Each structure stands twice: as structure tokens, then as C-alpha cells.
Amino acid sequence: MLRERGLPVRRPQLTFATMDHSTPTRTEQVFGGAPITIEAAARQVRELEVNCADFGVELLGLRHARRGIVHIIGPELGLTQPGKTVVCGDSHTSTHGALGALAFGIGTTEVGHVLATQCLLQRKPRTLAINVSGRLAAGVTAKDLILAIIGRIGVAGGTGHVIEYRGETIAALDMDERMTVCNMSIEAGARAGMIAPDETTYAYLAGRPRAPRGEAWEMALEEWRGLATDAGARFDRQTDIDASALEPMVTYGTNPGMVIPVSGTIPQRPGDAAFAKSLAYMGFEPGRPVAEQPVDVVFVGSCTNGRLSDLRAAAALLRGRKVAPGVQMLVVPGSQEVKREAEAEGLHRVFLEAGAQWRESGCSMCLGMNGDLVAKGQYAVSTSNRNFEGRQGVGARTLLASPLTAAASAVRGRLTDPRELM
Amino acid sequence: MDPIKTLRARTVVLPVSDVDTDQIIPARFLTTTTRSGLGAHLFADWRYGSDGEPKADFVLNRPEAKGCTILVAGNNFGCGSSREHAPWALADYGFRAVVSTQIADIFRNNSLKNGLLPVIVDPAAHGWLMEHPGAQITLELETSTLTLPTGQAVRFPLEPFARYCLMNGVDELGFLLGREQQIRAFEERRPAGPPA
Ligand code: SF4
């Protein structure tokens, strides 16, 4: 679009590029001489390199030490900051709202508008407050919380809205957990989800490579402290959630709103053809418990659950245990930095000794664009965010869950409530 | 973009709710960097069998769907991934409008930029349309109305700016570039440097 019109990137210093969706995760293809197996993916990688060089945009290329999934590295590098407007041609840009930024996904044409003008034409969205109170029980994670929220308000419940997650439970979450929650706002139809910045946010950002320093940090802090929603502000809609009542959650259908506790049974919806079609795809019958479903593949990773604390949680369950025979488990860190940190703690050894695969960072099996796929008819417990038909491969059956549930299910070879192994 | 003022066409009904953009165009077709030809992969996993042959019972493959350029889908269309390949594939296939009770925000924005009209109607009108595949309907942009063959007209939301762009074939980038002065004034007022 820019080339066609002879336009430059208006603010290259405010523009940032990485590669994640179609990049290989096998070390020999990233760092060795082995070619990227999918030709179209290799071409995409090359085109991005050329475009960034031509337009003066900073790129964290395939072999860069800080490369990773865009929604992991934005916060990790300190590029994402409170009060900023962050856009990216990917719907999970909502993740960055965890730092108190207004962050949302846009389409390719809109990316062109931003590159050319640093502007976007927008309508003011409606506001939705999700108030969460109560403590999450042991073994119940931020992932279970957001899955429960989506189950409550539905996959279109947030359409046209920006969500603010509020309340004591949210304030008590660490940044990784907040990002998991905001990440899946789009799965409830909301383009953006945000959490007010607080001391947790500032402590997370302090000292990050692209965060302000010295005097600039002090000035930024002062500005950030003024960003939180005013007390008594009115929202277009509100929903209250009691976190203390939640259990580990899992999806049983083909959208993230089809979700139940791992201890639950598949619901009945007589006369609902779409529901029946979804269950048929999943190979499930109504009224049957979902736990104990045999699984073929376990995937830990993605922009939802590919951060260090997610890997720690999975490793804690796997330590001294083995992945069940016949189960393929893939652990894919969300960024090269996460990978390095995990290796420094020896987490990779836990995974490898348990019989899981340990890969280079990327989106990987979240959408299977790079060839990391789930085979037709197989069941995958996945820490990613979408269980759409065919998302992880044609005919693949995805059960979305937390890293704890994923690891527990890998050990048992069946969908398992992680609390049974804790 | 060609201006659209009125659209009069027959509908094809896809009786599935919560159609996500992964279904509209599966990820394996996204490595293309050009948009033409994507229509061939529209709804690929529903439209073709594992042998690559069209499935006779899928709505788009039925003879009566030929020439229908308005897609009526179940509740909540276009959720999930922001891939603009979804409206590209629909438009490349020949669709000019999509009708549902709810249309996901990003998909809706993307559609408006590609001359694919996102039409949100009330459950009653939607129910009628779902039960009458092949109905000849009229979409009038000036008044934002959808007229059923029964003569009944219902309004659909279309913000004035989007309507203006669609009716006049205005491309938003041109509009933004025309605001250079205001953009520069803002940048001078708020000299946000690079984030390092
Ligand atoms: S990990 Fe999955 S959801 Fe996240 S950016 Fe990559 S493909 Fe999208």
C-alpha cells in the first residue's frame, strides 16, 4: 500500500516489527542451516526483512536474541507502557492492555493507515466493567478465570466494548497473569481489555530495555499514576465474578465460550443444531463427564500462556514425572528471552526429562501455520486461546486449559484436574 | 473502491452461528501476501472434502447459491482472528454484503474497508431471512435500510462516516492523508519520542 502510493512510514521510531506466526520452532531451522520447510512461510520471513530495511523499521529478526511472539515481547522489552495506544495486525493485541495501555488488533488496511499517518479513524467503544472479587483457589489460575468470564458473558458478550477488569482479585494478579486475562478479551468479542496500572505494573516495567530511565522514568510514573479510572466512573455495562468459587476450566466445544469446569459434564442443548454440530466435531456426547478424556497432544505456549510463570507452573507439575506413553507434549516459550530465563532455571531439563519437546519461541501449535500441527481427530489440551474447528490442524480437537491442567493431563494421558497431582 | 449506493441481490443462508475467521479462511492460506484468489479458499474446510472435492451439501456448493451475493449467517459472524483475509476471501468470492444479528468489531472494520457491507439486523428480520434462503433483498445505504421481499424494511447501523466512504468510494487513507496539517499540529503539541 505504501509502495503503491510512494509513501514513507510516518514515524518509524514508533514502529516495531517481529516475526512469530509462521516461524519454525525447531532449533536447526532457526539457528542451523536447515531450510524453513514451508516455502510460503520462508517467503514471508524474507519479505518482512526487506520491507523493514526499506522503510527504516526496527525488526527483531528470526535469529535475534529478543525475538518472540509480539504480545510477549512488547511488554517484556518495556515497549508497552501505561497510557499508550498500541495497535498491531493481530487480535490478541488486547494482551498489552494488562499494562494500562489502550491496545487493540487491527486489519491489514488499518496497519497501512497507521504506518502512513500514525492515525486511525475510530468510533468510541462502549465500556464494560468486569469486577472480580475473592481469591483464586490453589490450582486455579488466571487462565481459568478468563475462561470462566468468557463462559459467563459469551463469545460476543464484549462486542463493541472495551473491558476493564477490576477488583481485588485483579489487583492481586501479577503481570503475567494480568496479560493472560487481557489476552483473551477478544475471545469475548471485546477488541481491548485493560487493567489499571499500579505498583505491580511499575515494578514490572522498571529497568526494562525500552522503559524510560532516570528523570524520564519519574515523569512517566507521575503521568501513569493519573491514569486509573476515576472512582465512581460509570460504565455502559457491569458484570461481577466471584473468583473464589472457580475451579480449573476446560473448553469442550469449538469456541472459547463453550467452557465448563474440568470436573463438569458436557451440557445438553436439545434442538440447537449449531451446538450439536460442534459436539459432533469434538466427538463428545452431552451428559458425559469431560475429565478422563484421553488426549493425544499437549501444547504449552502461545501469547496466552507462553511466559516464564506459565512454564514454571507446567514444570512444577512435571518435575519427577513422565509424559504418558503415546502423548506428544510440546513446550514452546513465548519469546527467546523466556526461553533463556527458563533454561537458566533448568526448566527445559524438567520438560526434556519428562519426555516433552522443548522448542524455539513462536506461535507454533496455537495456529499451526509453521507446520506444528495436531492431526485429524486427535485431542489436544492446549494453553492457547482458540478452539475453533481446524485451528490447530484440519480436524484437530482442541481443549483449552491452563498450563497446570495441560501438564497434569500430559502426565495422566487423560484430561485431569491438576489439583489431583498437587 | 467503487461507490455502493444500493445493493439488490439474492441471499445464500449459512445456518451456523459464531462463525469465526478461522472458518472463513483457515490459517494455512494466510502466508499469501496478495489478496486475489482467496475466494477459492473461502470456508475451505467446510466447502471441500478431504479429497479436495467440493461437498455437495455445503450451502455454497448448491446450484441455487449461484449468483447470490449476500451472505446471511447465524448469530455473531466474524469473531476471532483479525485476519483481513476473511473479508478479502468473501469479497473475492463475490459477496457484497454479510447479514447477521451481530458482527465482530475487527471483522466489521475490515469489511468496511473492502467494500463488503456488514449488515446487523434485529432477530425478527434475521429469523425471516434465515428461513427464506434465496430471497431477493435490497440494501439501501442512504437510508441504511434492508428491505425484505415482503416489503418490510428494517434499519441497520452504519455510522455516517462509513456510509459517506462507501457511497462515494472514498478511501480512508486518502482522507487521513488530507489531514496532514492537523496531524502535524498534534505531533508538535505532543512530541512523543521513541519509547527508548
Ligand atoms: S500465539 Fe496464537 S493467538 Fe497469540 S499471536 Fe500467535 S497465533 Fe495469535
Side-chain angles (χ1 to χ4, degrees):
Chain A
M1 190 191 296
L2 298 182
R3 272 207 192 90
E4 258 167 42
R5 302 212 191 195
L7 294 167
V9 171
R10 185 178 181 95
R11 303 293 296 275
Q13 313 90 319
L14 300 183
T15 310
F16 194 80
T18 188
M19 34 182 89
D20 49 19
H21 277 60
S22 48
T23 53
T25 53
R26 291 193 183 276
T27 306
E28 64 276 16
Q29 288 185 15
V30 178
F31 293 106
I36 300 180
T37 13
I38 300 176
E39 169 49 28
R43 192 171 55 235
Q44 250 187 349
V45 165
R46 281 197 304 273
E47 277 186 32
L48 184 62
E49 285 166 351
V50 170
N51 286 337
C52 286
D54 287 359
F55 287 93
V57 171
E58 183 180 355
L59 167 71
L60 296 190
L62 190 57
R63 293 184 187 80
H64 197 285
R66 299 296 305 240
R67 187 185 61 84
I69 304 173
V70 59
H71 312 309
I72 305 259
I73 64 173
E76 191 177 83
L77 291 168
L79 281 166
T80 308
Q81 295 165 16
K84 286 204 183 280
T85 306
V86 179
V87 293
C88 170
D90 186 279
S91 62
H92 291 101
T93 307
S94 60
T95 314
H96 307 248
L99 288 97
L102 175 61
F104 53 92
I106 55 178
T108 312
T109 303
E110 288 179 315
V111 170
H113 295 175
V114 174
L115 292 177
T117 67
Q118 200 67 13
C119 292
L120 262 186
L121 293 162
Q122 292 291 300
R123 282 178 303 156
K124 189 176 166 198
R126 290 187 291 273
T127 53
L128 167 59
I130 297 190
N131 308 306
V132 191
S133 59
R135 268 182 56 172
L136 290 168
V140 184
T141 68
K143 178 65 165 287
D144 302 301
L145 170 61
I146 187 63
L147 284 172
I149 291 172
I150 298 163
R152 171 82 72 83
I153 70 174
V155 289
T159 302
H161 293 76
V162 167
I163 297 176
E164 183 182 339
Y165 302 95
R166 301 153 61 83
E168 54 181 19
T169 320
I170 300 297
L173 298 179
D174 66 25
M175 288 313 297
D176 283 7
E177 295 171 318
R178 292 182 188 187
M179 287 187 246
T180 299
V181 170
C182 289
N183 173 273
M184 291 189 75
S185 303
I186 183 71
E187 262 55 70
R191 266 216 294 177
M194 352 180 45
I195 293 173
D198 59 12
E199 295 306 320
T200 307
T201 321
Y202 313 142
Y204 172 89
L205 277 173
R208 300 221 165 237
R210 300 302 176 91
R213 289 169 193 282
E215 206 181 320
W217 171 259
E218 294 306 322
M219 280 166 61
L221 261 188
E222 201 179 308
E223 195 191 316
W224 296 344
R225 290 193 202 282
L227 289 173
T229 304
D230 297 334
R234 291 238 310 273
F235 288 83
D236 293 312
R237 277 172 53 211
Q238 304 235 21
T239 300
D240 296 331
I241 304 273
D242 176 9
S244 63
L246 298 180
E247 293 182 47
M249 304 293 286
V250 66
T251 62
Y252 62 88
T254 53
N255 73 54
M258 300 173 78
V259 64
I260 49 176
V262 174
S263 62
T265 51
I266 313 268
Q268 326 237 7
R269 283 202 218 149
D272 184 336
F275 185 77
K277 175 176 179 287
S278 182
L279 287 197
Y281 179 87
M282 293 300 295
F284 284 153
E285 303 99 51
R288 178 188 121 178
V290 69
E292 301 302 312
Q293 166 63 45
V295 301
D296 306 290
V297 177
V298 171
F299 171 60
V300 173
S302 87
C303 58
T304 312
N305 284 125
R307 281 169 286 268
L308 186 61
S309 56
D310 301 311
L311 303 188
R312 280 184 186 148
L317 255 165
L318 281 178
R319 193 166 278 124
R321 296 191 171 108
K322 292 269 182 238
V323 173
V327 174
Q328 182 202 3
M329 181 173 186
L330 205 62
V331 184
V332 183
S335 71
Q336 294 305 100
E337 178 69 8
V338 169
K339 179 168 189 260
R340 231 178 344 271
E341 288 174 330
E343 290 182 350
E345 293 181 12
L347 301 184
H348 64 308
R349 276 196 301 274
V350 178
F351 295 126
L352 291 169
E353 278 161 20
Q357 301 176 42
W358 175 245
R359 298 283 187 92
E360 302 296 333
S361 71
C363 294
S364 181
M365 206 177 259
C366 175
L367 87 169
M369 247 177 106
N370 71 339
D372 294 340
L373 288 165
V374 177
K376 190 170 181 172
Q378 287 198 334
Y379 289 88
V381 177
S382 177
T383 66
S384 54
N385 43 53
R386 288 187 173 141
N387 52 346
F388 299 149
E389 277 182 39
R391 172 79 179 184
Q392 298 189 292
V394 177
R397 293 157 165 169
T398 303
L399 309 174
L400 299 176
S402 75
L404 285 176
T405 303
S409 304
V411 169
R412 287 270 181 83
R414 293 165 179 276
L415 181 69
T416 301
D417 187 325
R419 294 174 299 184
E420 292 172 23
L421 297 185
M422 285 170 75
Chain B
M1 215 161 59
D2 297 332
I4 319 176
K5 291 195 164 65
T6 311
L7 199 61
R8 201 172 144 70
R10 283 187 305 118
T11 63
V12 55
V13 171
L14 178 68
V16 185
S17 40
D18 303 316
V19 173
D20 57 77
T21 55
D22 272 80
Q23 306 317 314
I24 300 172
I25 181 95
R28 61 185 184 280
F29 302 113
L30 303 187
T31 42
T32 170
T33 37
T34 54
R35 53 185 88 177
S36 63
L38 281 174
H41 308 305
L42 177 69
F43 297 121
D45 291 340
W46 290 344
R47 205 164 129 204
Y48 307 105
S50 42
D51 53 358
E53 289 300 309
K55 289 187 195 165
D57 60 343
F58 183 64
V59 285
L60 295 190
N61 295 332
R62 294 203 199 124
E64 62 270 23
K66 222 172 149 57
C68 297
T69 57
I70 298 178
L71 180 68
V72 175
N75 296 325
N76 186 35
F77 188 83
C79 55
S81 153
S82 58
R83 58 191 69 170
E84 197 160 321
H85 303 68
W88 289 343
L90 285 158
D92 188 61
Y93 183 86
F95 283 116
R96 311 287 309 279
V98 180
V99 184
S100 179
T101 49
Q102 212 162 10
I103 295 181
D105 295 332
I106 303 179
F107 175 83
R108 183 168 186 277
N109 276 344
N110 287 340
S111 297
L112 286 168
K113 288 175 183 59
N114 289 282
L116 179 73
L117 196 58
V119 180
I120 301 169
V121 293
D122 63 79
H126 182 251
W128 191 94
L129 286 165
M130 293 294 285
E131 281 163 20
H132 297 82
Q136 174 103 13
I137 62 171
T138 307
L139 297 167
E140 192 77 58
L141 265 73
E142 179 77 56
T143 52
S144 303
T145 48
L146 180 158
T147 309
L148 301 174
T150 59
Q152 194 206 344
V154 291
R155 289 183 59 101
F156 58 88
L158 188 63
E159 52 281 17
F161 181 74
R163 178 188 307 138
Y164 169 81
C165 289
L166 286 168
M167 292 187 65
N168 297 285
V170 172
D171 113 278
E172 287 187 20
L173 181 55
F175 178 90
L176 283 170
L177 289 168
R179 296 294 178 280
E180 171 67 20
Q181 266 190 347
Q182 285 99 318
I183 297 174
R184 187 166 304 157
F186 176 83
E187 286 175 339
E188 278 162 16
R189 235 179 20 251
R190 203 167 176 282

